[in-house]
């Protein structure tokens, strides 16, 4: 009881001092989730602060097309100018500490900020020790190309430099990870690139699971389009890699060693570092949140959105991060106004290219149920297996339009 | 440079907050001719389209899968909200 009183006094002091000021919501991370959340919060009479270390955000959706030489990296870059002119205070810094009792966020520069609500959208970090031999240094030789511009361009250059007749190896992790269908889109587009420019080459895909997103659609497309180029090996056939050897350009499974001229290892992942600093990540490395407000299950007044969060059936995608950001922003506004949050509905649609101008999609509609976001029965699902080329071309057009719209909503 | 369109925040200022589901629409519907904005469109026309998607009578790539996640009443509220956006 006494302890609570002391704590309340500590919390109350800064709040009283700022009682006349507008509530301050601080958003950490300027990707699809954070940028959308910051802009959406401007609806309220709030001070909105966005903490982001970079001047330019390099978007992941469509980066597989950059890797396959179908698209240029410039099309992936987005700045924060519009967000600033909208009225968000963007601080170019990195969040390094959270004192949840005092609602204080500390930045790398040494500055600190008091928040009324904190929204973390930190994306993912690689778990470097998950695959023996695969650490941050190994990624300079065997790129993951799963976040950041440098990694994307490194894999693209390696593919371009490879001789005709070379072998490309991809390693795909078990669930959950950023963008469930992304590795399979990448496999198809790399196969397309090899078939077109280096037709004697092979792509070996080593997968730590037996089933994956849009599997039937991907496998049908691969069989039809890249039958002699792409080989997929699932978990039960020895697809899980146990070790990486960057010097030898080799990966080992329990059964054999594979040598590749280009090796792309997508390692297991967890929520971005600030999530564990803030205490919102659990033992899985991800952040459990309330499905209606995205408030952390572990620490009050901290919300987590996007890839870092886990809340049930919604996948880790840019579309989902954007949708969650808007629902979270509205919930935060309502809670700051003393209102109860809505019972929201969220939508996700993920497009994957199987070749240039050919795409497939998976969609879902979600609602809070028993503390999680659950799929609404009868809704969602994938493109049809018997879709015509015309339909796949239309889906590719929609994928392109989606990217324009979602990046405009997030970054202006 | 692309024109900076009003984000959700500006859309909201025009009237009340979006009903459940409506804020997801702007993930795809926005400044492209392929998937145009829904702001200010006739609620009756939108409902006719959504009903066609829901029942499978109107061909679609993804809207058939999405519309099935909502009741008629929910779709009606969403359509009315979009009609009110300017």
């Amino acid at each position: 009881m006494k302890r609570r009183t002391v704590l309340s006094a500590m919390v109350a002091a800064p709040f009283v001092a700022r009682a006349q000021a507008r509530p301050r919501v601080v958003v950490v991370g300027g990707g699809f989730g954070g940028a959308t959340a910051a802009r959406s919060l401007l609806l309220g009479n709030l001070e909105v602060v966005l903490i982001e270390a970079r001047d330019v955000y390099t978007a992941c959706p469509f980066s597989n097309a950059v890797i396959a030489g179908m698209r240029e990296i410039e099309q992936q870059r987005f700045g924060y100018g519009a967000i600033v002119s909208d009225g968000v205070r963007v601080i170019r810094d990195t969040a390094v500490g959270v004192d949840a009792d005092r609602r204080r966020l500390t930045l790398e520069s040494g500055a600190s900020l008091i928040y009324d609500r904190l929204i973390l959208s930190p994306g993912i970090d690689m778990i470097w020790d998950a695959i023996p031999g695969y650490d941050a240094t190994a990624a300079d030789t065997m790129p993951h190309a799963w976040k950041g511009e440098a990694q994307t361009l490194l894999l693209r250059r390696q593919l371009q430099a490879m001789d005709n007749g070379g072998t490309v190896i991809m390693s795909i992790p078990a669930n959950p990870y950023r963008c469930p269908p992304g590795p399979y889109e990448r496999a198809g587009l790399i196969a397309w690139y090899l078939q077109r420019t280096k037709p004697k080459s092979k792509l070996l895909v080593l997968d730590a699971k037996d089933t994956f997103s849009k599997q039937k659609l991907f496998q049908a497309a691969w069989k039809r389009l890249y039958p002699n180029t792409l080989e997929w090996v699932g978990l039960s056939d020895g697809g899980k890699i146990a070790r990486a050897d960057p010097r030898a350009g080799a990966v080992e499974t329990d059964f054999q060693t594979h040598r590749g001229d280009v090796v792309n290892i997508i390692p297991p992942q967890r929520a971005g570092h600030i999530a564990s600093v803030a205490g919102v990540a659990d033992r899985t490395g991800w952040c459990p949140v309330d499905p209606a407000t995205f408030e952390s299950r572990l620490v009050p007044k901290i919300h987590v959105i996007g890839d870092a969060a886990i809340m049930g059936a919604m996948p880790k995608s840019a579309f989902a991060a954007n949708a969650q950001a808007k629902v979270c922003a509205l919930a935060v506004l309502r809670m700051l106004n003393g209102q109860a949050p809505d019972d929201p509905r969220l939508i996700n649609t993920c497009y994957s290219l199987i070749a240039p101008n050919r795409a497939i999609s998976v969609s879902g509609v979600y609602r809070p149920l028993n503390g999680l976001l659950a799929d609404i029965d009868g809704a969602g699902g994938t493109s049809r297996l018997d879709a015509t080329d015309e339909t796949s071309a239309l889906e590719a057009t929609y994928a392109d339009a989606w990217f324009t719209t979602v990046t405009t909503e997030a970054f202006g | 440079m692309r024109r900076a369109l009003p984000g959700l925040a500006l859309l909201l200022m025009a009237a009340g907050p979006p009903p459940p589901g409506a804020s997801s629409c702007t993930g795809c519907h926005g400044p492209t001719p392929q998937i145009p904005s829904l702001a200010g469109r006739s609620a009756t026309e939108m409902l006719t389209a959504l009903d066609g998607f829901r029942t499978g009578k109107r061909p679609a790539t993804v809207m058939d899968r999405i519309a099935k996640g909502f009741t008629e009443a929910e779709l009606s509220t969403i359509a009315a909200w979009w009609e009110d956006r300017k």
Side-chain angles (χ1 to χ4, degrees), chain A residues 39 43 78 319 323 326 330 343 345 347 349 361 363 365 376 378-383 397-398 401-402 405-409, chain B residues 2 4-5 8-9 12-13 17-18 20-21 23-24 26-32 34-35 61-62 65-66 68-70 74:
Chain A
R39 294 188 94 200
L43 164 70
F78 299 89
F319 193 115
K326 290 178 275 189
L330 276 170
D343 178 33
R345 299 289 180 276
I347 300 170
T349 301
S361 63
S363 200
V365 187
I376 293 179
T382 65
S383 311
T397 306
Y398 288 156
W402 163 74
T405 296
V406 78
T407 53
T408 304
E409 185 168 69
Chain B
R2 286 202 304 263
L5 276 206
L8 176 75
L12 291 179
M13 279 177 201
S23 70
S24 280
T26 56
C28 289
H29 285 273
T32 70
Q34 293 81 17
I35 317 179
T61 55
V62 297
R65 300 177 241 159
I66 291 168
K68 290 188 177 92
F70 296 89
E74 287 168 340

Side-chain angles (χ1 to χ4, degrees), chain A residues 45 86 105 112 241 276 292 343 352:
Chain A
N45 183 25
D86 283 349
L105 181 76
S112 68
I241 65 168
S276 50
D343 178 33
S352 302

Side-chain angles (χ1 to χ4, degrees), chain A residues 168-369:
Chain A
V168 180
I169 295 175
M170 274 184 73
S171 160
I172 304 176
N175 292 321
Y177 58 90
R178 162 175 286 179
C179 189
Y184 308 96
E185 175 186 71
R186 175 175 294 179
L189 296 187
I190 289 178
W192 172 83
Y193 169 77
L194 295 176
Q195 193 169 279
R196 182 167 157 273
T197 61
K198 306 170 191 210
K200 285 187 253 171
S201 309
K202 299 279 183 209
L203 169 62
L204 176 64
V205 181
L206 300 172
D207 202 333
K209 54 193 174 307
D210 281 322
T211 58
F212 58 86
S213 174
K214 302 181 231 183
Q215 183 163 8
K216 281 182 184 164
L217 297 172
F218 275 117
Q219 289 185 322
W222 296 342
K223 196 174 168 189
R224 187 161 47 89
L225 300 170
Y226 317 115
N228 302 315
T229 305
L230 194 167
E231 183 192 352
W232 176 80
V233 179
L235 174 68
S236 6
D237 295 318
K240 185 177 177 179
I241 65 168
R243 236 185 83 76
D245 184 347
R247 280 193 201 160
V251 294
E252 294 168 23
T253 68
D254 287 343
F255 303 95
Q256 63 185 111
T257 298
H258 302 275
R259 219 202 65 77
D261 298 287
V262 174
V263 181
N264 166 217
I265 295 183
I266 304 167
Q269 299 145 32
R270 62 181 162 217
H273 183 61
I274 190 64
S276 50
V277 171
V280 294
D282 70 11
R283 288 174 57 194
T284 66
W286 305 104
C287 309
V289 295
D290 178 276
T293 63
F294 294 86
E295 185 167 6
S296 169
R297 293 283 192 202
L298 305 178
V299 185
K301 295 193 163 49
I302 302 181
H303 301 248
V304 187
I305 54 173
D307 293 346
I310 41 169
M311 78 311 286
M314 212 169 180
K316 302 185 183 304
S317 72
F319 193 115
N322 169 264
Q324 292 169 9
K326 290 178 275 189
V327 167
C328 174
L330 276 170
V332 164
L333 290 172
R334 291 180 71 96
M335 290 161 99
L336 287 171
N337 276 333
Q339 296 165 289
D342 275 333
D343 178 33
R345 299 289 180 276
L346 291 96
I347 300 170
N348 178 65
T349 301
C350 288
Y351 292 99
S352 302
L353 294 171
I354 50 173
N357 306 314
R358 293 284 181 278
I360 54 178
S361 63
V362 62
S363 200
V365 187
Y366 310 91
R367 64 177 302 176
L369 190 69

Side-chain angles (χ1 to χ4, degrees), chain A residues 1-22:
Chain A
M1 193 63 204
K2 190 177 176 188
R3 183 181 145 76
R4 273 186 66 180
T5 314
V6 173
L7 268 181
S8 316
M10 281 167 20
V11 173
F15 186 75
V16 171
R18 297 177 51 248
Q20 301 303 316
R22 296 182 298 166

